[in-house]
Each structure stands twice: as C-alpha cells, then as structure tokens.
Amino acid sequence: MTRRLIPLLLAALAWLATLPALAMDAEVATTVQRLQGRWAEIRYTLPADQQAAAYASLAKEAERALDAHPDAAELHAWAGIVRSTQAGASGGLAALSLVKQARAELEASLALDPLALDGAAYTSLGALYYQVPGWPLSFGDNDRAERYLRRGLAANPEGLDSLYFWGDYLHEQGRDALARQALRHALDAPPRPGRERADAGRREEIRRLLAELDH
C-alpha cells in the first residue's frame, strides 16, 4: 500500500506545481494598479526635489492597503518597491531606515508567494542588495544580490525590469559585455498593458546606460 501511495503523492505534487498562481483579489488588483501608476508618475514626471515626499505619501497608501489585506504578496512587494525608491530619492541617514523597511516588505512578499507579480520581489530585493552600502552602514551584499536577481530572471526571463536590473548589476560588477547583452535584451521585452509610462521611462534608463557603456 505504501509503495503505491508514494507515486500517487508525487504525481499529485507534480500536478499542483503546474497550476497557475491564484488570481489576485479584485480590490488588491485595483490597488496594485493604482500604486504602479502613481509610482511611475512620481519617478518619471515629478521634479527630483518633490519625489521623496510623494513616495512617502504613496508608501502610506500601500500600508493602508496592507492593513486591509495583510496576506497579499503583491501589496507587500509594492510597499517594498515604494520604500526602496523613496530611500533613493531621500538619501542621507533617512535612507538607511527606509531600505530596511523595503527589505522587510519584499521578504514578506516572498514568504507569501515568491512568484507574485512574476517574481518582482526577487528582482527588487536583488537590486537593494547591490545598491545599498555594505556593513557596517547597511546590508549590501553582492553575492546575495546576484542570487536574488537570478531568481527574478528565472521567474520572468523576458521581463523589462528583471533584465534591466540584471544588466545594471553586471555593469556595477565591471562585467560590461554581459551587461550590454542583458540591456539590449531588455529593450526587446514585451510591453506591459497599463504600464506604458513605466515602460517608456525604464526603456529610456536602459538607453542611457547603454550609451554610457558604449563610451
């Protein structure tokens, strides 16, 4: 009986692994779209000196949404993304606290559903690890960065963001030939419906980085 049960269990697990991720709750999906849209508006249209305050307001909106939906991996991912970009816009000592908050949110997202939003939390966490200072100032770690970025690529191998951050990381490591390949691949990434502003802004960032690499 036991010998028959094990193959049946293995077959059931294999079948479960092929099932698509559960669709987002409608309210969560609407909130994610709003966070995505406002994030892109802040990053790509607001003057630099207005961005930190705008991200702080958006982070509070994400936190309110999480109060209502604490188990939504997608909201944790976006709370982390907003906090990390707020840190970049703020700079200084305040940024060190914000990146820790961002890391906690992204780790919470991965704990709930590592493939939410096509593995966006993996990519965002990887970006944090190579962009923040290392010990004793912060938790920067290139080895961890590469592991997370590779997981993000495995989850979304044709993604605009996963390829961009992988290329940017490679450039930071002095691996410019591989960085060019990743960035050129990123320019061929399929468009994301509803995220036209974010796509346009990210593609411009990619072109600027490629121009830098070619000089």
Side-chain angles (χ1 to χ4, degrees):
M1 185 69 175
T2 302
R3 285 196 297 268
R4 291 185 61 194
L5 182 59
I6 291 174
L8 288 172
L9 285 172
L10 290 175
L13 289 171
W15 173 75
L16 284 171
T18 66
L19 289 176
L22 292 176
M24 272 187 279
D25 174 274
E27 186 176 346
V28 170
T30 298
T31 303
V32 166
Q33 290 172 359
R34 187 166 61 250
L35 294 172
Q36 289 172 338
R38 179 58 178 156
W39 178 90
E41 183 181 9
I42 295 168
R43 182 169 180 85
Y44 297 117
T45 70
L46 282 192
D49 62 355
Q50 297 178 23
Q51 290 189 5
Y55 282 129
S57 177
L58 188 62
K60 290 179 181 177
E61 181 179 344
E63 289 169 359
R64 288 193 294 270
L66 277 168
D67 286 341
H69 301 278
D71 295 328
E74 299 85 0
L75 291 177
H76 282 286
W78 265 99
I81 291 167
V82 172
R83 283 300 188 195
S84 65
T85 43
Q86 181 190 356
S90 300
L93 293 176
L96 298 179
S97 173
L98 292 170
V99 294
K100 289 179 181 178
Q101 293 176 44
R103 179 177 65 172
E105 293 291 1
L106 294 168
E107 289 175 341
S109 176
L110 291 176
L112 289 164
D113 181 359
L115 297 183
L117 302 174
D118 294 323
Y122 279 133
T123 296
S124 298
L125 196 52
L128 269 186
Y129 271 107
Y130 79 82
Q131 291 177 352
V132 305
W135 188 90
L137 289 178
S138 193
F139 55 82
D141 184 319
N142 287 332
D143 290 338
R144 288 188 177 184
E146 183 154 340
R147 286 199 298 272
Y148 281 118
L149 290 170
R150 286 186 179 276
R151 289 174 183 173
L153 275 172
N156 193 10
E158 302 299 321
L160 183 61
D161 287 340
S162 55
L163 286 164
Y164 165 71
F165 282 110
W166 177 238
D168 188 52
Y169 166 78
L170 291 171
H171 170 53
E172 291 292 324
Q173 300 305 303
R175 296 151 68 181
D176 285 352
L178 291 174
R180 286 187 189 90
Q181 291 178 18
L183 294 168
R184 288 170 182 155
H185 191 180
L187 288 177
D188 293 330
R192 297 174 290 187
R195 301 201 63 197
E196 290 78 11
R197 177 177 283 147
D199 282 3
R202 185 68 80 201
R203 290 179 193 279
E204 182 57 30
E205 290 173 337
I206 292 167
R207 292 186 185 99
R208 286 201 300 267
L209 183 50
L210 280 169
E212 180 183 331
L213 291 174
D214 290 337
H215 280 83

